[in-house]
Amino acid sequence: MFKKAAFIGLGILAIAAITILYIFRPIAATHQALQADLPKLVALRHFYANTDSKWRYRLSPDGKYIAWLATKGFRPALWVRPLGGEEADVFNTKDEVRWYSWSADGRYLLYQANRDGWENDVIVSIDVTRKDAEPRSYDFGKNVKSWIHSVPAEAGSEILIGNNQRDARKFDLYRLNLETGKTTALDLISEIGVHWSVDRQGDVYARTVHKSQDDWRTELRQPDGTWNEIAQGGMEDWFQVLSQPDEDGNLLALSTMGRDKSAVVTFDTQSQTESVMFDDDAVDTAWVELHPVTGAALSAVSYPDFQHRKFFDPDYETALNAVPHDAETARHRVSTTNDMSKMIIETEHTTKGWTKYLVNQSDNSVETIAVPPIAAQADHLSKMEPVTFSARDGLTIHATMTRPKGAVGPAPMVVLIHGGPVARSAWGFSSLHSWLANRGYVVLDVNYRGSGGFGRNFREAAVGEVSRKMHYDIVDARAWAVDQGFADPDKVAVLGGSFGGLKVLTAVTQSPELFAAGIDINGISDISTMLQEVPAYWQGWPDWYQKYIGDPSDPEMLAEIKDRSPLYHAAAVQAPLLIIQGSNDVRVIQDQADRMVDALTAEGKDVDYMLLEGAGHQFNSWGWKTRIIAYRRMERFLAKHLGGRADGFDYAVLGAHVLWD
């Protein structure tokens, strides 16, 4: 009986294996441009679920330990070892850790956990002084969202957090003791939002208070505890305090006050005037690197094309220049000790990924600590290049493009559309670009008008232009690529998520003859209802909405907003659509996808609906299983409709379906 049962069991496994191999058989490229000598097809797991990867290296503030993320049993785990040692302690966690930090005393690793996709994050610590330590959650109640505001350099085992336990619409500031779990309120706010600047002990010295998104003021705390206003502005203004005032009353800030693009400035708090330290005529300053304790400016970074950097500290410049790099390599300081004697510097290359180096300034040594597995596939991947083109009204549009190796003549193309919309795509390594180009597609990633990073004039070029000129920017991007001979006009797809998903649906409803396929991920289908569907703490959203889209309380304007919503134009769709939606998305709720799918189905359109149970809005919060299954569906959808190729079965497919939760 046992042998018979075993035989039956083996038979069932064999049938299952054959079924999986058949379902996930490779798909060869059929497009005429992809019939030459294409590079090796790189397995999907190399881009989205590589169990050999090690990432997010972090030094403890005192330099005694180094931590990183790597897999154990097909799941990410936190690894910690003494900096000079070889044996590592492994701390398993059920959470998908996206970001983590050391506590100031080097005792705890800290991260935020989004456990159900609903974005009600809890704060988690792991005591690395105990090898058997389990993750400890600081949970402040159901439907409460908490986040780590800062880890002040001299705060010991305390951190600053924000949460909305008192009022779901607002985030207050608290001091959290990691040992006791007790919190102390630092600022219980009455306004819709506050941004706090804190010193190395965790005391607030400045804050920016928002009465509305279009009405804010920045204040400095005075010795007697009162507040003195030093700046005020509206929706398109930005004044971010970066350091405490020095003895002359000057502080460091990132500012757009009185200018189009953000600049690094010194601000005189007495005269309330600015002196520019760095600006980039083409784009906003992306970020400013500061000393972890003193707050002094080390460098400023911008992305007009490749990464550009202005150094303010010669020793820091020497440290970054010590790692191998060229004009097409970005460099990032990802971790440092408090005295900056040791740093982890990461180089970013568009075909080799992120390589990590340990730089020791005390002896000027550089040690390679991690080479990403994707680097072994570099010969099969394509470089990303920055490009610009003119929209039909003359506005300069920035984009990045990755072309497939081995393609001959105009190739099938995927136009990527980022979300936000006040976000941007920048040059650098992209798994999405690399994966799609390896499959045979030109990838054009468009920073349409309204995107962030290109100044206020570029943002405000989108006022009243949602599903109008914002859409034409995508159409003009397609036309530019076709005119340049990069893209086959009959094989262009659009792919985007969130607000980018809205633009995908807009593309296939407003210009249906121009696009051969569309993939919408967590996208908006009805802009007339989304204002009522966002989380309670998105209190600034109505201000942006009314400025850029319109006032839905006005019946005529509401009718016009509906007319710009793809939901009401499903009959115009010609291209096949793949709609992917997270069931636990709180930013673009499932109803947006359900209604669009129902409308398309009623019109007899070709729509494939993939509902991801338990998934939230943000792609980087998806687990490996979700990523592998979703991207596998996308890959095969594009191969069918554009003529590119798709991967066959490998162990990641089996792992996604069987081993991972």
Side-chain angles (χ1 to χ4, degrees):
M1 181 65 71
F2 175 79
K3 289 183 178 180
K4 183 178 180 181
F7 179 78
I8 293 172
L10 288 172
I12 292 172
L13 287 174
I15 293 171
I18 292 170
T19 302
I20 291 173
L21 288 169
Y22 176 77
I23 293 172
F24 295 113
R25 63 194 185 281
I27 298 175
T30 58
H31 192 278
Q32 62 271 19
L34 306 177
Q35 300 306 306
D37 186 19
L38 299 182
K40 184 186 81 172
L41 190 70
V42 179
L44 183 63
R45 59 183 162 82
H46 286 297
F47 301 106
Y48 293 108
N50 197 314
T51 55
D52 295 326
S53 293
K54 297 179 181 179
W55 67 102
R56 301 202 193 287
Y57 280 79
R58 298 289 185 267
L59 293 166
S60 61
D62 57 10
K64 292 182 179 179
Y65 296 95
I66 185 169
W68 66 94
L69 285 165
T71 58
K72 183 180 180 183
F74 287 97
R75 298 178 186 279
L78 282 158
W79 301 61
V80 182
R81 68 167 171 82
L83 191 56
E86 296 182 358
E87 294 294 324
D89 294 324
V90 184
F91 299 93
N92 291 305
T93 168
K94 63 182 179 181
D95 302 310
E96 186 79 14
V97 180
R98 305 187 302 276
W99 169 95
Y100 73 95
S101 173
W102 286 91
S103 61
D105 59 6
R107 178 177 174 181
Y108 299 95
L109 292 177
L110 311 163
Y111 65 87
Q112 294 170 202
N114 178 11
R115 290 177 176 161
D116 55 10
W118 295 115
E119 299 190 28
N120 292 318
D121 293 3
V122 298
I123 295 168
V124 183
S125 73
I126 300 174
D127 184 348
V128 300
T129 65
R130 295 174 45 227
K131 292 186 177 183
D132 61 345
E134 294 290 330
R136 175 184 180 182
S137 298
Y138 303 89
D139 192 343
F140 298 96
K142 186 178 180 181
N143 299 326
V144 174
K145 180 179 178 68
S146 301
W147 48 279
I148 298 172
H149 172 273
S150 57
V151 183
E154 296 177 4
S157 59
E158 294 184 330
I159 63 172
L160 301 191
I161 68 168
N163 72 38
N164 60 346
Q165 62 178 330
R166 186 178 62 92
D167 185 334
R169 300 167 298 171
K170 305 171 184 177
F171 291 96
D172 300 314
L173 186 67
Y174 297 87
R175 189 184 296 270
L176 169 65
N177 187 300
L178 297 169
E179 295 182 30
T180 65
K182 293 182 178 179
T183 58
T184 304
L186 296 182
D187 196 8
L188 302 178
I189 70 172
S190 56
E191 293 81 1
I192 71 164
V194 178
H195 173 83
W196 299 276
S197 300
V198 300
D199 62 20
R200 67 187 70 174
Q201 289 81 33
D203 295 322
V204 178
Y205 67 83
R207 65 183 185 183
T208 298
V209 178
H210 291 261
K211 292 184 177 180
S212 71
Q213 192 178 16
D214 202 34
D215 181 8
W216 58 262
R217 62 183 182 274
T218 297
E219 306 169 331
L220 280 181
R221 185 187 287 273
Q222 303 303 299
D224 62 0
T226 60
W227 296 92
N228 179 42
E229 181 178 311
I230 60 170
Q232 61 84 30
M235 188 185 307
E236 308 299 340
D237 300 308
W238 189 15
F239 187 83
Q240 180 184 359
V241 176
L242 300 175
S243 71
Q244 289 180 268
D246 61 20
E247 58 186 13
D248 297 320
N250 296 316
L251 56 77
L252 189 70
L254 196 58
S255 171
T256 63
M257 306 301 290
R259 58 176 56 84
D260 178 47
K261 298 176 178 69
S262 63
V264 186
V265 303
T266 54
F267 181 81
D268 186 325
T269 59
Q270 302 303 315
S271 65
Q272 297 189 5
T273 57
E274 296 178 350
S275 299
V276 176
M277 292 177 61
F278 169 78
D279 62 358
D280 189 314
D281 291 339
V283 293
D284 291 325
T285 301
W287 67 80
V288 183
E289 292 181 308
L290 306 173
H291 190 284
V293 177
T294 68
L298 303 175
S299 78
V301 176
S302 63
Y303 282 86
D305 38 41
F306 304 105
Q307 185 190 76
H308 289 216
R309 189 183 294 271
K310 167 68 175 178
F311 286 101
F312 305 119
D313 184 292
D315 292 335
Y316 185 60
E317 182 175 8
T318 299
L320 255 67
N321 285 338
V323 302
H325 67 283
D326 58 25
E328 294 189 16
T329 305
R331 290 165 292 164
H332 309 276
R333 184 194 72 182
V334 298
S335 184
T336 180
T337 56
N338 277 348
D339 62 4
M340 289 194 65
S341 62
K342 299 179 183 66
M343 287 180 280
I344 296 174
I345 305 298
E346 192 172 69
T347 59
E348 180 184 11
H349 192 276
T350 58
T351 62
K352 299 176 183 177
W354 297 278
T355 302
K356 288 84 173 172
Y357 299 90
L358 177 63
V359 178
N360 191 329
Q361 292 204 88
S362 61
D363 60 9
N364 296 316
S365 63
V366 178
E367 175 190 351
T368 304
I369 57 175
V371 176
I374 197 67
Q377 311 297 329
D379 290 344
H380 313 298
L381 305 181
S382 302
K383 286 186 177 182
M384 179 190 293
E385 53 186 307
V387 298
T388 59
F389 61 90
S390 293
R392 63 189 63 188
D393 62 355
L395 186 68
T396 297
I397 305 294
H398 291 252
T400 57
M401 183 171 64
T402 307
R403 288 183 283 170
K405 283 189 172 184
V408 178
M413 182 171 76
V414 177
V415 180
L416 296 184
I417 313 177
H418 68 71
V422 188
R424 68 162 291 187
S425 297
W427 172 88
F429 179 77
S430 165
S431 293
L432 186 55
H433 274 248
S434 297
W435 166 60
L436 289 172
N438 180 256
R439 270 49 182 165
Y441 308 113
V442 177
V443 184
L444 186 61
D445 204 337
V446 184
N447 286 303
Y448 49 86
R449 71 190 64 212
S451 298
F454 301 95
R456 81 171 67 207
N457 292 335
F458 190 82
R459 289 193 305 275
E460 291 193 309
V463 173
E465 300 298 343
V466 173
S467 297
R468 289 173 174 154
K469 287 184 180 179
M470 291 176 84
H471 163 62
Y472 298 144
D473 290 343
I474 303 304
V475 172
D476 293 344
R478 175 196 174 278
W480 172 83
V482 169
D483 290 345
Q484 295 295 314
F486 300 137
D488 176 351
D490 295 324
K491 295 295 181 182
V492 178
V494 274
L495 189 162
S498 190
F499 197 88
L502 165 65
K503 294 180 68 59
V504 166
L505 296 175
T506 301
V508 298
T509 51
Q510 289 197 15
S511 303
E513 73 284 356
L514 298 181
F515 300 100
I519 299 178
D520 156 36
I521 308 171
N522 291 339
I524 302 157
S525 65
D526 186 358
I527 54 177
S528 72
T529 62
M530 66 180 185
L531 190 62
Q532 290 78 42
E533 298 168 347
V534 297
Y537 46 82
W538 280 28
Q539 290 198 74
W541 177 247
D543 297 316
W544 183 92
Y545 184 99
Q546 291 200 26
K547 176 175 180 177
Y548 282 83
I549 298 178
D551 183 358
S553 65
D554 181 328
E556 289 188 10
M557 195 166 288
L558 177 61
E560 191 270 337
I561 292 170
K562 282 188 172 184
D563 188 56
R564 283 187 280 151
S565 298
L567 176 67
Y568 304 102
H569 301 283
V573 172
Q574 297 176 18
L577 277 170
L578 171 59
I579 294 180
I580 301 174
Q581 176 69 39
S583 66
N584 290 5
D585 192 338
V586 296
R587 305 189 191 191
V588 180
I589 64 173
Q590 183 182 329
D591 181 63
Q592 289 273 345
D594 288 348
R595 286 193 290 152
M596 190 69 203
V597 171
D598 289 344
L600 290 164
T601 302
E603 295 290 344
K605 303 302 180 180
D606 184 353
V607 57
D608 184 4
Y609 187 24
M610 186 179 193
L611 183 64
L612 303 177
E613 292 293 343
H617 185 76
Q618 297 171 294
F619 304 166
N620 63 3
S621 69
W622 292 357
W624 281 9
K625 172 183 177 178
T626 302
R627 272 182 268 176
I628 284 290
I629 293 173
Y631 283 91
R632 174 74 61 174
R633 179 80 68 89
M634 292 162 58
E635 176 177 79
R636 301 178 88 79
F637 175 85
L638 290 171
K640 178 180 178 181
H641 298 293
L642 296 190
R645 53 187 183 165
D647 195 7
F649 172 82
D650 71 15
Y651 72 80
V653 178
L654 180 63
H657 285 277
V658 178
L659 299 178
W660 294 321
D661 290 335

